[in-house]
Amino acid sequence: TAVSTLTLCRFNFAAKNCPCAFSTAAQQRSTGDECGPEDPRDEPRHPLSERTLELKASKLEEQVRDLTERYRKALADSENVRRRTQKFVEDAKLFGIQSFCKDLVEVADILEKTTESTERETEPSDPKPTLKKIYEGLSLIEAKLQSVFAKHGLQKMNPVGGKYDPYDHEIVCHVPAEGMQPGTVALVTQDGYKLHGRTIRHAHVGVAVESQE
């Protein structure tokens, strides 16, 4: 009919003059056809189960306990090292002169024997009291030397009448126990010395023993 012919002519005219409208519609249909369901990977993941969370929490607690125990042991080891180092430093201060003291007590022995010898040779009736003056001078020197020893922690042992101690005494002879308990130190042939309570030279002693009839 005339109306249909007119409508068809208008459609052909619009397609020739504005092809973008039909192209856009075609693209939209093509795009719509290609779009499928959403990618499963884009879906939100399911939260961890309660059991899994409990296991992880338990594992973390165990790690915390282990690290805490290691930390405590490290602190204890560090404190032990500090104490040992401090003790080493203190001992070095106290006993650093030990070797010097061992040599010095030899001088004290000589001085003591010289004083005793001079005392025996001194005669009260001697008109020239030279030996007496020498003896008095040696006695003063000996007393001063022992005072210096004591000032620095060096002390002479006096074991006579005491029990024999292998850590302090060295037996050089045995004597009959006359009025003394067996095992008691009866005499001293060489003085022993201690430096701040540590024996640096053993006393040479004679120990009392029961007499054999």
Side-chain angles (χ1 to χ4, degrees), residues 129-149:
T130 304
L131 287 178
K132 184 178 180 180
K133 291 182 179 180
I134 293 175
Y135 167 72
E136 291 175 352
L138 291 174
S139 297
L140 290 176
I141 294 174
E142 185 179 6
K144 182 62 177 179
L145 185 60
Q146 292 298 327
S147 176
V148 173
F149 284 176

Side-chain angles (χ1 to χ4, degrees), residues 190-211:
Q190 178 178 278
D191 293 322
Y193 282 87
K194 288 187 176 183
L195 179 62
H196 297 290
R198 177 189 292 181
T199 300
I200 64 170
R201 192 177 79 171
H202 290 72
H204 292 183
V205 300
V207 178
V209 295
E210 293 183 357
S211 58

